[in-house]
Amino acid sequence: MITRKNIVSLLTTSAIAFCIGTPARADSLVAVAQATAAVVRDEHDHNLQRDIKTAIGADPELNTAHIAVSAHAGRVTLAGVAVNEDQRARAQRTALNVRGVRLVENALELAER
């Protein structure tokens, strides 16, 4: 089911992708966003996604990252842009520490310098 929230998430990820790198790299980020937006979310998935976004937002080390989160049955996908590898790994650890998360697919790209 495509919801307004999925569309906004997809558009945000697309805009970020096209601003930070080459068209080929942007296309790969958009493809990840499209794949995750197509997932039907139930109430548990929505709450899990919200909890992960809250945890990431509460971490001052992650405030310069642009991270989109999707969740389905405890499986989480992180997409977007991290400043460096430490930030990318920290985002994954933060998501894994949220109750209900069973697996994190870290599709975060590193920002070009």
Side-chain angles (χ1 to χ4, degrees):
M1 169 189 287
I2 296 178
T3 64
R4 187 176 300 154
K5 189 175 257 185
N6 288 351
I7 293 168
V8 170
S9 177
L10 177 61
L11 290 174
T12 302
T13 303
S14 299
I16 292 168
F18 283 101
C19 289
I20 58 107
T22 65
R25 191 170 197 189
D27 286 343
S28 71
L29 287 174
V30 171
V32 169
Q34 288 172 332
T36 59
V39 176
V40 176
R41 290 183 243 171
D42 62 9
E43 187 68 24
H44 175 73
D45 292 338
H46 178 74
N47 291 338
L48 183 59
Q49 180 181 9
R50 183 196 63 223
D51 293 346
I52 294 165
K53 286 181 177 181
T54 300
I56 288 172
D59 188 333
E61 296 293 323
L62 297 175
N63 64 1
T64 57
H66 301 282
I67 301 172
V69 178
S70 67
H72 181 69
R75 297 179 66 171
V76 174
T77 301
L78 303 177
V81 181
V83 173
N84 55 41
E85 185 59 42
D86 290 337
Q87 195 177 57
R88 184 178 184 276
R90 187 177 184 106
Q92 182 169 355
R93 283 192 310 272
T94 300
L96 279 170
N97 287 330
V98 172
R99 184 178 180 165
V101 174
R102 294 186 294 145
L103 175 73
V104 175
E105 179 184 340
N106 193 340
L108 292 171
E109 296 281 334
L110 297 179
E112 292 181 9
R113 293 274 174 188

XYZ file of all heavy atoms in Angstrom:
841
model
N 0.837 -1.165 0.000
C 0.000 0.000 0.000
C 0.888 1.236 0.000
O 1.803 1.345 0.799
C -0.891 -0.016 1.246
C -1.607 1.292 1.462
S -2.450 1.365 3.034
C -3.809 0.289 2.732
N 0.635 2.124 -0.881
C 1.400 3.362 -0.943
C 0.646 4.417 -0.145
O -0.510 4.698 -0.411
C 1.592 3.815 -2.398
C 2.433 2.790 -3.150
C 2.249 5.187 -2.433
C 2.635 3.115 -4.602
N 1.332 4.963 0.846
C 0.728 5.984 1.691
C 1.423 7.310 1.450
O 2.482 7.374 0.816
C 0.857 5.616 3.174
O 2.251 5.587 3.513
C 0.227 4.268 3.477
N 0.827 8.349 1.960
C 1.429 9.673 1.840
C 2.821 9.684 2.481
O 3.745 10.282 1.954
C 0.525 10.699 2.517
C 0.982 12.113 2.299
C 0.022 13.117 2.880
N -1.289 12.949 2.253
C -2.432 13.286 2.824
N -2.451 13.806 4.008
N -3.578 13.102 2.199
N 2.958 8.983 3.609
C 4.245 8.929 4.300
C 5.300 8.239 3.435
O 6.453 8.669 3.389
C 4.096 8.212 5.628
C 5.314 8.297 6.508
C 5.034 7.663 7.838
C 4.817 8.784 8.810
N 4.644 8.347 10.172
N 4.926 7.160 2.715
C 5.860 6.473 1.823
C 6.313 7.396 0.701
O 7.482 7.417 0.316
C 5.223 5.229 1.212
C 5.055 4.110 2.192
O 5.545 4.162 3.302
N 4.330 3.087 1.784
N 5.377 8.159 0.157
C 5.709 9.067 -0.937
C 6.661 10.148 -0.460
O 7.657 10.447 -1.122
C 4.431 9.672 -1.542
C 3.625 8.573 -2.243
C 4.757 10.796 -2.516
C 2.225 8.982 -2.637
N 6.385 10.710 0.718
C 7.263 11.747 1.268
C 8.648 11.183 1.527
O 9.657 11.816 1.202
C 6.655 12.345 2.559
C 7.651 13.235 3.276
C 5.391 13.127 2.230
N 8.714 9.977 2.076
C 10.009 9.345 2.342
C 10.782 9.122 1.052
O 11.985 9.386 0.966
C 9.791 8.018 3.066
O 11.011 7.370 3.278
N 10.103 8.648 0.032
C 10.736 8.407 -1.260
C 11.244 9.713 -1.879
O 12.369 9.786 -2.374
C 9.763 7.717 -2.205
C 10.251 7.449 -3.623
C 11.458 6.539 -3.609
C 9.142 6.832 -4.445
N 10.417 10.741 -1.840
C 10.826 12.029 -2.409
C 12.004 12.631 -1.643
O 12.922 13.191 -2.245
C 9.651 13.001 -2.425
C 8.539 12.655 -3.418
C 7.371 13.604 -3.247
C 9.044 12.673 -4.841
N 11.982 12.519 -0.327
C 13.081 13.044 0.485
C 14.374 12.318 0.163
O 15.417 12.949 -0.045
C 12.755 12.903 1.982
O 11.540 13.602 2.250
C 13.874 13.451 2.842
N 14.327 10.996 0.126
C 15.524 10.216 -0.187
C 16.024 10.541 -1.589
O 17.224 10.673 -1.821
C 15.228 8.706 -0.060
O 14.748 8.445 1.251
C 16.482 7.895 -0.318
N 15.107 10.701 -2.540
C 15.499 11.044 -3.911
C 16.197 12.393 -3.964
O 17.224 12.550 -4.625
C 14.269 11.067 -4.825
O 13.669 9.809 -4.861
N 15.636 13.376 -3.266
C 16.237 14.708 -3.261
C 17.628 14.683 -2.658
O 18.572 15.276 -3.194
C 15.342 15.691 -2.498
N 17.782 13.971 -1.554
C 19.094 13.855 -0.913
C 20.067 13.160 -1.862
O 21.206 13.596 -2.034
C 18.992 13.083 0.417
C 18.220 13.905 1.446
C 20.384 12.734 0.954
C 17.821 13.115 2.675
N 19.609 12.087 -2.483
C 20.476 11.307 -3.374
C 20.999 12.151 -4.525
O 22.186 12.093 -4.868
C 19.714 10.096 -3.911
N 20.151 12.949 -5.137
C 20.570 13.740 -6.282
C 21.435 14.929 -5.882
O 22.170 15.456 -6.701
C 19.357 14.195 -7.102
C 18.817 13.085 -7.951
C 17.694 12.382 -7.567
C 19.457 12.715 -9.127
C 17.214 11.338 -8.342
C 18.974 11.678 -9.904
C 17.853 10.991 -9.508
N 21.377 15.309 -4.607
C 22.191 16.442 -4.145
C 23.607 16.043 -3.763
O 24.503 16.879 -3.771
C 21.530 17.112 -2.940
S 20.043 18.017 -3.369
N 23.832 14.767 -3.422
C 25.123 14.408 -2.837
C 26.085 13.692 -3.767
O 27.242 13.517 -3.413
C 24.936 13.544 -1.571
C 24.139 12.263 -1.864
C 24.258 14.310 -0.485
C 24.973 11.057 -1.864
N 25.639 13.251 -4.909
C 26.594 12.474 -5.688
C 26.262 12.398 -7.160
O 25.490 13.179 -7.699
N 26.871 11.426 -7.787
C 26.720 11.218 -9.214
C 25.323 10.672 -9.515
O 24.672 10.094 -8.640
C 27.756 10.201 -9.715
O 27.472 8.939 -9.101
C 29.170 10.648 -9.384
N 24.854 10.804 -10.741
C 23.542 10.256 -11.090
C 23.436 8.747 -10.848
O 22.412 8.270 -10.392
C 23.397 10.596 -12.570
C 24.227 11.830 -12.741
C 25.407 11.636 -11.817
N 24.507 8.014 -11.123
C 24.473 6.566 -10.916
C 24.305 6.239 -9.436
O 23.541 5.355 -9.057
C 25.741 5.918 -11.452
N 25.014 6.960 -8.600
C 24.914 6.743 -7.155
C 23.524 7.144 -6.669
O 22.935 6.476 -5.834
C 25.986 7.555 -6.445
C 26.134 7.219 -5.008
C 27.371 7.882 -4.476
N 27.733 7.246 -3.240
C 28.644 7.693 -2.443
N 29.326 8.769 -2.771
N 28.919 7.081 -1.325
N 23.014 8.240 -7.195
C 21.677 8.693 -6.821
C 20.639 7.655 -7.231
O 19.711 7.370 -6.470
C 21.384 10.041 -7.471
N 20.790 7.075 -8.416
C 19.848 6.054 -8.877
C 19.824 4.858 -7.932
O 18.765 4.291 -7.661
C 20.200 5.587 -10.288
C 19.837 6.615 -11.352
O 19.042 7.532 -11.046
O 20.356 6.495 -12.472
N 20.983 4.460 -7.420
C 21.010 3.322 -6.508
C 20.312 3.655 -5.199
O 19.603 2.821 -4.635
C 22.447 2.852 -6.254
O 23.156 3.784 -5.467
N 20.481 4.874 -4.703
C 19.784 5.278 -3.475
C 18.277 5.335 -3.693
O 17.500 4.911 -2.841
C 20.286 6.639 -2.996
C 21.678 6.681 -2.380
C 22.078 8.122 -2.104
C 21.731 5.861 -1.118
N 17.869 5.849 -4.834
C 16.443 5.929 -5.139
C 15.860 4.524 -5.270
O 14.750 4.259 -4.802
C 16.206 6.763 -6.418
C 14.756 6.660 -6.871
C 16.591 8.207 -6.179
N 16.596 3.607 -5.863
C 16.111 2.231 -6.000
C 15.885 1.595 -4.637
O 14.880 0.904 -4.421
C 17.109 1.401 -6.818
N 16.793 1.836 -3.702
C 16.625 1.314 -2.342
C 15.379 1.930 -1.714
O 14.572 1.238 -1.085
C 17.873 1.597 -1.469
C 17.595 1.305 -0.013
C 19.051 0.779 -1.961
N 15.199 3.224 -1.888
C 14.032 3.901 -1.317
C 12.735 3.359 -1.913
O 11.757 3.145 -1.197
C 14.132 5.405 -1.549
N 12.720 3.118 -3.220
C 11.519 2.587 -3.862
C 11.208 1.186 -3.364
O 10.046 0.844 -3.139
C 11.687 2.580 -5.377
C 11.640 3.957 -5.985
C 11.993 3.958 -7.460
O 12.738 3.105 -7.925
N 11.484 4.942 -8.170
N 12.237 0.389 -3.183
C 12.025 -0.976 -2.715
C 11.448 -0.985 -1.304
O 10.559 -1.774 -0.996
C 13.333 -1.756 -2.756
N 11.947 -0.105 -0.464
C 11.459 -0.077 0.916
C 10.093 0.582 1.010
O 9.304 0.247 1.888
C 12.454 0.632 1.848
O 12.668 1.964 1.390
C 13.765 -0.103 1.916
N 9.770 1.513 0.124
C 8.475 2.188 0.161
C 7.337 1.268 -0.242
O 6.189 1.497 0.126
C 8.500 3.418 -0.739
N 7.644 0.215 -0.989
C 6.608 -0.691 -1.469
C 6.134 -1.667 -0.402
O 5.153 -2.375 -0.595
C 7.135 -1.457 -2.678
N 6.809 -1.700 0.737
C 6.475 -2.647 1.794
C 5.214 -2.184 2.535
O 5.100 -1.041 2.935
C 7.656 -2.780 2.790
C 7.291 -3.684 3.940
C 8.890 -3.295 2.077
N 4.296 -3.102 2.694
C 3.078 -2.797 3.443
C 3.414 -2.857 4.931
O 3.971 -3.819 5.426
C 1.966 -3.819 3.110
C 0.742 -3.566 3.961
C 1.644 -3.774 1.642
N 3.075 -1.777 5.632
C 3.398 -1.714 7.052
C 2.142 -1.836 7.898
O 1.152 -1.195 7.642
C 4.069 -0.387 7.378
C 5.439 -0.291 6.808
C 6.042 1.002 7.227
N 6.249 1.726 5.989
C 6.606 2.964 5.904
N 6.780 3.672 6.965
N 6.772 3.541 4.752
N 2.227 -2.623 8.920
C 1.134 -2.671 9.874
C 1.481 -1.764 11.055
O 2.503 -1.071 11.044
C 0.837 -4.102 10.321
C 2.015 -4.755 11.048
O 3.003 -4.056 11.354
O 1.940 -5.969 11.308
N 0.637 -1.750 12.048
C 0.832 -0.849 13.195
C 2.161 -1.107 13.902
O 2.867 -0.184 14.281
C -0.327 -1.015 14.185
C -0.312 -0.028 15.321
C -0.584 1.395 14.854
O -1.201 1.582 13.804
O -0.168 2.321 15.576
N 2.533 -2.381 14.043
C 3.802 -2.709 14.702
C 4.989 -2.163 13.914
O 5.911 -1.598 14.497
C 3.939 -4.229 14.861
C 5.251 -4.654 15.425
N 5.588 -4.485 16.745
C 6.328 -5.212 14.827
C 6.824 -4.924 16.943
N 7.292 -5.376 15.798
N 4.953 -2.328 12.615
C 6.037 -1.814 11.777
C 6.135 -0.296 11.885
O 7.223 0.258 11.969
C 5.824 -2.209 10.319
C 5.966 -3.709 10.095
O 6.605 -4.383 10.908
O 5.414 -4.188 9.089
N 4.991 0.356 11.879
C 4.982 1.817 11.990
C 5.582 2.263 13.322
O 6.402 3.197 13.364
C 3.552 2.337 11.841
C 3.446 3.808 11.988
N 3.872 4.692 11.019
C 2.984 4.569 13.012
C 3.678 5.928 11.432
N 3.137 5.877 12.634
N 5.196 1.602 14.402
C 5.733 1.956 15.727
C 7.229 1.669 15.811
O 7.978 2.456 16.401
C 4.992 1.200 16.820
C 3.570 1.674 16.978
O 3.214 2.787 16.595
N 2.717 0.815 17.528
N 7.651 0.565 15.228
C 9.072 0.224 15.231
C 9.868 1.275 14.451
O 10.908 1.750 14.909
C 9.293 -1.166 14.627
C 10.717 -1.696 14.626
C 11.273 -1.774 16.046
C 10.756 -3.061 13.960
N 9.355 1.661 13.306
C 10.008 2.691 12.501
C 10.110 4.000 13.292
O 11.148 4.643 13.314
C 9.219 2.907 11.213
C 9.819 3.952 10.305
C 8.990 4.158 9.048
O 7.877 3.632 8.928
N 9.513 4.910 8.125
N 9.035 4.380 13.941
C 9.027 5.606 14.752
C 10.058 5.529 15.888
O 10.803 6.480 16.136
C 7.630 5.836 15.332
C 7.521 7.135 16.120
C 6.297 7.182 16.991
N 6.400 6.115 17.988
C 5.402 5.333 18.340
N 4.216 5.469 17.809
N 5.580 4.388 19.244
N 10.123 4.377 16.564
C 11.074 4.215 17.672
C 12.521 4.316 17.189
O 13.374 4.900 17.867
C 10.857 2.869 18.374
C 9.525 2.794 19.111
O 8.878 3.857 19.308
O 9.120 1.674 19.473
N 12.808 3.760 16.027
C 14.168 3.836 15.476
C 14.504 5.263 15.094
O 15.589 5.764 15.406
C 14.321 2.887 14.269
C 14.185 1.444 14.724
C 15.656 3.114 13.569
C 13.972 0.468 13.596
N 13.571 5.959 14.439
C 13.807 7.361 14.082
C 14.033 8.210 15.329
O 14.885 9.099 15.329
C 12.630 7.912 13.278
C 12.570 7.408 11.868
C 11.385 8.025 11.130
C 11.338 7.592 9.691
N 10.211 8.212 8.974
N 13.291 7.931 16.385
C 13.459 8.659 17.643
C 14.844 8.397 18.227
O 15.522 9.327 18.673
C 12.364 8.256 18.651
O 11.089 8.575 18.090
C 12.536 8.976 19.972
N 15.277 7.132 18.225
C 16.595 6.780 18.769
C 17.715 7.431 17.958
O 18.681 7.965 18.531
C 16.767 5.262 18.785
N 17.595 7.421 16.651
C 18.610 8.045 15.794
C 18.616 9.554 16.001
O 19.665 10.178 16.109
C 18.382 7.666 14.316
C 18.753 6.194 14.106
C 19.190 8.564 13.378
C 18.393 5.643 12.742
N 17.431 10.143 16.093
C 17.322 11.582 16.300
C 17.849 12.042 17.650
O 18.287 13.186 17.802
N 17.822 11.156 18.637
C 18.290 11.499 19.979
C 19.807 11.405 20.119
O 20.372 11.866 21.104
C 17.627 10.585 21.008
N 20.460 10.818 19.144
C 21.913 10.642 19.203
C 22.604 11.831 18.541
O 22.512 12.013 17.331
C 22.307 9.354 18.485
C 23.768 8.992 18.661
O 24.602 9.901 18.868
O 24.077 7.793 18.582
N 23.320 12.653 19.320
C 23.976 13.829 18.739
C 25.048 13.495 17.705
O 25.356 14.318 16.845
C 24.576 14.553 19.947
C 24.591 13.574 21.051
C 23.541 12.550 20.759
N 25.577 12.298 17.746
C 26.585 11.885 16.762
C 25.968 11.610 15.387
O 26.681 11.508 14.402
C 27.323 10.632 17.251
C 28.123 10.840 18.512
C 29.306 11.775 18.302
O 29.932 11.714 17.233
O 29.587 12.566 19.219
N 24.648 11.471 15.344
C 23.978 11.142 14.080
C 23.200 12.317 13.504
O 22.523 12.165 12.493
C 23.030 9.952 14.287
C 23.700 8.645 14.695
C 22.659 7.582 14.985
C 24.660 8.177 13.620
N 23.332 13.498 14.103
C 22.508 14.629 13.650
C 22.928 15.186 12.290
O 22.181 15.934 11.687
C 22.440 15.737 14.697
C 23.779 16.373 14.971
O 24.785 16.011 14.376
N 23.806 17.309 15.894
N 24.083 14.822 11.781
C 24.491 15.288 10.449
C 24.191 14.253 9.361
O 24.417 14.514 8.186
C 25.996 15.633 10.404
O 26.743 14.477 10.801
C 26.313 16.800 11.317
N 23.671 13.094 9.764
C 23.309 12.053 8.792
C 21.886 12.291 8.300
O 21.054 12.858 8.994
C 23.415 10.671 9.440
N 21.626 11.872 7.083
C 20.284 11.930 6.501
C 19.832 10.484 6.322
O 20.266 9.808 5.387
C 20.306 12.662 5.162
C 20.806 14.063 5.275
N 20.029 15.088 5.754
C 22.012 14.604 5.011
C 20.727 16.200 5.756
N 21.940 15.931 5.311
N 18.974 10.019 7.245
C 18.643 8.599 7.291
C 17.138 8.392 7.167
O 16.354 8.965 7.919
C 19.144 7.976 8.612
C 20.664 8.151 8.735
C 18.761 6.503 8.687
C 21.231 7.735 10.078
N 16.759 7.562 6.205
C 15.379 7.118 6.064
C 15.295 5.708 6.644
O 16.218 4.909 6.483
C 14.965 7.114 4.606
N 14.205 5.417 7.327
C 14.046 4.132 8.005
C 12.778 3.457 7.506
O 11.726 4.085 7.410
C 13.938 4.336 9.535
C 13.724 3.010 10.242
C 15.167 5.046 10.080
N 12.882 2.180 7.197
C 11.691 1.382 6.918
C 11.778 0.112 7.757
O 12.876 -0.339 8.104
C 11.561 1.053 5.434
O 12.587 0.190 5.038
N 10.620 -0.427 8.109
C 10.587 -1.621 8.956
C 9.473 -2.542 8.506
O 8.391 -2.084 8.112
C 10.381 -1.221 10.418
N 9.742 -3.830 8.572
C 8.735 -4.844 8.256
C 9.073 -6.108 9.035
O 10.132 -6.712 8.818
C 8.697 -5.130 6.751
C 7.674 -6.147 6.385
N 6.326 -5.918 6.456
C 7.812 -7.412 5.957
C 5.678 -6.999 6.093
N 6.556 -7.921 5.779
N 8.193 -6.468 9.950
C 8.337 -7.696 10.740
C 9.691 -7.791 11.446
O 10.304 -8.843 11.475
C 8.100 -8.910 9.858
N 10.151 -6.685 11.993
C 11.416 -6.677 12.725
C 12.647 -6.502 11.862
O 13.750 -6.388 12.372
N 12.459 -6.486 10.565
C 13.571 -6.263 9.632
C 13.580 -4.787 9.255
O 12.579 -4.259 8.779
C 13.427 -7.134 8.398
C 13.479 -8.623 8.729
C 13.316 -9.445 7.517
N 14.492 -9.218 6.676
C 14.774 -9.913 5.606
N 13.963 -10.866 5.216
N 15.843 -9.661 4.903
N 14.714 -4.154 9.444
C 14.824 -2.711 9.262
C 15.811 -2.412 8.141
O 16.843 -3.069 8.019
C 15.322 -2.054 10.575
C 15.586 -0.580 10.401
C 14.321 -2.300 11.692
N 15.482 -1.413 7.332
C 16.390 -0.926 6.305
C 16.701 0.530 6.587
O 15.788 1.328 6.790
C 15.789 -1.050 4.895
O 15.488 -2.432 4.646
C 16.753 -0.543 3.837
N 17.980 0.852 6.637
C 18.439 2.227 6.771
C 18.950 2.666 5.413
O 19.786 1.993 4.815
C 19.574 2.338 7.804
C 19.284 1.829 9.208
C 20.528 1.944 10.077
C 18.125 2.582 9.826
N 18.447 3.783 4.907
C 18.885 4.304 3.613
C 19.158 5.791 3.768
O 18.587 6.448 4.628
C 17.815 4.073 2.550
N 20.044 6.303 2.943
C 20.372 7.721 2.986
C 21.866 7.936 2.951
O 22.592 7.164 2.325
N 22.313 8.965 3.679
C 23.710 9.374 3.596
C 24.289 9.573 4.991
O 23.701 10.263 5.828
C 23.843 10.685 2.797
C 25.292 11.106 2.683
C 23.218 10.531 1.425
N 25.450 8.968 5.231
C 26.215 9.179 6.459
C 27.502 9.918 6.103
O 28.020 9.779 4.998
C 26.548 7.841 7.117
N 28.017 10.694 7.050
C 29.219 11.491 6.810
C 30.463 10.612 6.698
O 31.332 10.857 5.881
C 29.402 12.539 7.936
C 30.724 13.272 7.805
C 28.243 13.521 7.915
N 30.536 9.560 7.530
C 31.709 8.682 7.522
C 31.298 7.272 7.961
O 30.148 7.039 8.326
C 32.823 9.240 8.416
C 32.349 9.494 9.833
O 31.608 8.698 10.410
N 32.752 10.619 10.403
N 32.248 6.353 7.926
C 31.964 4.959 8.271
C 31.562 4.809 9.734
O 30.707 3.978 10.072
C 33.178 4.077 7.951
C 32.932 2.600 8.159
C 31.785 2.041 7.326
O 31.667 2.386 6.147
O 30.985 1.239 7.869
N 32.151 5.595 10.633
C 31.785 5.529 12.049
C 30.312 5.877 12.237
O 29.596 5.223 12.995
C 32.647 6.481 12.881
C 34.088 6.028 12.978
O 34.360 4.811 12.796
O 34.957 6.879 13.239
N 29.852 6.908 11.549
C 28.459 7.323 11.648
C 27.535 6.256 11.050
O 26.475 5.967 11.600
C 28.269 8.665 10.939
C 26.972 9.348 11.271
C 26.866 10.697 10.607
O 26.963 10.792 9.383
N 26.671 11.731 11.408
N 27.964 5.673 9.964
C 27.190 4.594 9.319
C 27.027 3.414 10.284
O 25.923 2.892 10.460
C 27.908 4.162 8.043
C 27.185 3.139 7.221
C 28.004 2.828 5.943
N 27.302 1.931 5.079
C 27.321 0.607 5.208
N 28.031 0.037 6.151
N 26.626 -0.150 4.369
N 28.110 2.995 10.921
C 28.077 1.875 11.867
C 27.269 2.235 13.115
O 26.530 1.401 13.652
C 29.496 1.472 12.250
N 27.401 3.470 13.578
C 26.659 3.912 14.768
C 25.155 3.885 14.514
O 24.373 3.495 15.387
C 27.113 5.299 15.187
C 26.528 5.752 16.507
C 27.081 7.124 16.891
N 26.607 7.521 18.177
C 27.340 7.523 19.286
N 28.610 7.141 19.229
N 26.832 7.910 20.430
N 24.733 4.282 13.335
C 23.312 4.249 12.987
C 22.796 2.810 13.029
O 21.698 2.545 13.532
C 23.087 4.868 11.619
N 23.586 1.887 12.512
C 23.185 0.483 12.526
C 23.089 -0.036 13.958
O 22.113 -0.700 14.319
C 24.155 -0.371 11.718
C 23.739 -1.828 11.663
C 24.529 -2.630 10.655
O 25.343 -2.093 9.913
N 24.282 -3.915 10.599
N 24.090 0.273 14.794
C 24.058 -0.162 16.198
C 22.859 0.439 16.927
O 22.194 -0.244 17.711
C 25.348 0.233 16.915
C 26.533 -0.639 16.606
C 27.700 -0.400 17.561
N 28.039 1.005 17.705
C 28.888 1.668 16.919
N 29.488 1.036 15.920
N 29.164 2.937 17.135
N 22.584 1.704 16.656
C 21.457 2.375 17.305
C 20.155 1.680 16.941
O 19.307 1.420 17.803
C 21.408 3.868 16.901
O 22.627 4.488 17.318
C 20.232 4.576 17.530
N 19.981 1.358 15.665
C 18.763 0.667 15.229
C 18.664 -0.727 15.857
O 17.588 -1.140 16.299
C 18.728 0.571 13.706
N 19.777 -1.443 15.915
C 19.771 -2.786 16.500
C 19.406 -2.779 17.976
O 18.888 -3.767 18.501
C 21.133 -3.454 16.312
C 21.385 -4.071 14.949
C 22.858 -4.477 14.803
C 20.485 -5.271 14.727
N 19.670 -1.684 18.669
C 19.377 -1.588 20.096
C 17.919 -1.270 20.396
O 17.513 -1.284 21.548
C 20.277 -0.547 20.760
C 21.699 -1.032 20.887
O 21.946 -2.224 21.021
N 22.645 -0.122 20.840
N 17.127 -0.999 19.377
C 15.710 -0.706 19.585
C 14.960 -2.033 19.741
O 15.156 -2.966 18.958
C 15.140 0.112 18.401
C 13.629 0.255 18.516
C 15.810 1.475 18.334
N 14.115 -2.087 20.771
C 13.350 -3.304 21.044
C 12.468 -3.660 19.839
O 11.783 -2.808 19.277
C 12.479 -3.093 22.264
C 11.741 -4.322 22.664
C 10.934 -4.082 23.887
N 10.233 -5.306 24.226
C 9.671 -5.518 25.371
N 9.695 -4.586 26.292
N 9.050 -6.643 25.598
N 12.525 -4.926 19.433
C 11.714 -5.410 18.317
C 12.486 -5.554 17.017
O 12.006 -6.186 16.085
N 13.690 -4.993 16.956
C 14.503 -5.088 15.744
C 15.222 -6.434 15.738
O 15.909 -6.781 16.691
C 15.524 -3.926 15.654
C 16.451 -4.119 14.464
C 14.798 -2.601 15.565
N 15.049 -7.182 14.655
C 15.723 -8.473 14.525
C 16.893 -8.430 13.560
O 17.853 -9.165 13.704
C 14.727 -9.541 14.070
C 13.663 -9.815 15.113
C 12.776 -10.965 14.738
N 11.989 -10.615 13.565
C 11.657 -11.478 12.617
N 12.037 -12.718 12.673
N 10.941 -11.092 11.586
N 16.799 -7.556 12.556
C 17.827 -7.497 11.519
C 17.864 -6.083 10.956
O 16.821 -5.471 10.769
C 17.486 -8.490 10.397
C 18.373 -8.494 9.162
C 19.725 -9.117 9.493
C 17.706 -9.245 8.035
N 19.073 -5.579 10.700
C 19.211 -4.258 10.091
C 19.994 -4.390 8.801
O 21.120 -4.889 8.796
C 19.925 -3.256 11.030
C 20.163 -1.936 10.317
C 19.124 -3.045 12.293
N 19.376 -3.963 7.707
C 20.080 -3.853 6.433
C 20.555 -2.404 6.323
O 19.752 -1.488 6.252
C 19.170 -4.194 5.260
C 19.882 -4.062 3.928
C 18.952 -4.300 2.755
O 17.891 -4.907 2.913
O 19.320 -3.832 1.665
N 21.850 -2.230 6.333
C 22.417 -0.891 6.325
C 22.759 -0.513 4.878
O 23.790 -0.896 4.346
C 23.666 -0.832 7.209
C 24.112 0.574 7.482
O 23.762 1.496 6.756
N 24.891 0.745 8.519
N 21.874 0.267 4.252
C 22.080 0.718 2.882
C 22.539 2.176 2.851
O 22.415 2.839 1.833
C 20.795 0.543 2.081
N 23.085 2.654 3.980
C 23.564 4.031 4.031
C 24.797 4.197 3.148
O 25.705 3.362 3.178
C 23.904 4.446 5.460
C 22.734 4.583 6.415
C 23.236 4.791 7.843
C 21.853 5.736 5.989
N 24.798 5.241 2.374
C 25.938 5.587 1.536
C 26.805 6.603 2.283
O 26.304 7.333 3.133
C 25.457 6.226 0.233
C 24.633 5.309 -0.638
C 25.473 4.335 -1.424
O 26.647 4.644 -1.686
O 24.947 3.268 -1.787
N 28.088 6.632 1.963
C 28.970 7.629 2.548
C 28.987 8.868 1.663
O 29.055 8.766 0.441
C 30.387 7.082 2.692
C 30.524 5.875 3.640
C 31.967 5.410 3.696
C 30.030 6.217 5.036
N 28.917 10.038 2.295
C 28.926 11.293 1.565
C 30.283 11.472 0.892
O 31.322 11.120 1.457
C 28.658 12.453 2.514
N 30.251 12.003 -0.307
C 31.503 12.286 -1.004
C 32.113 13.536 -0.433
O 31.417 14.488 -0.111
C 31.231 12.481 -2.497
C 30.796 11.223 -3.176
C 30.555 11.442 -4.654
O 30.879 12.518 -5.171
O 30.039 10.518 -5.288
N 33.399 13.555 -0.324
C 34.104 14.735 0.217
C 34.759 15.480 -0.900
O 35.198 15.032 -1.859
C 35.166 14.303 1.222
C 34.563 13.711 2.469
C 34.238 14.822 3.402
N 33.532 14.262 4.545
C 32.992 14.987 5.446
N 33.029 16.282 5.375
N 32.384 14.472 6.446
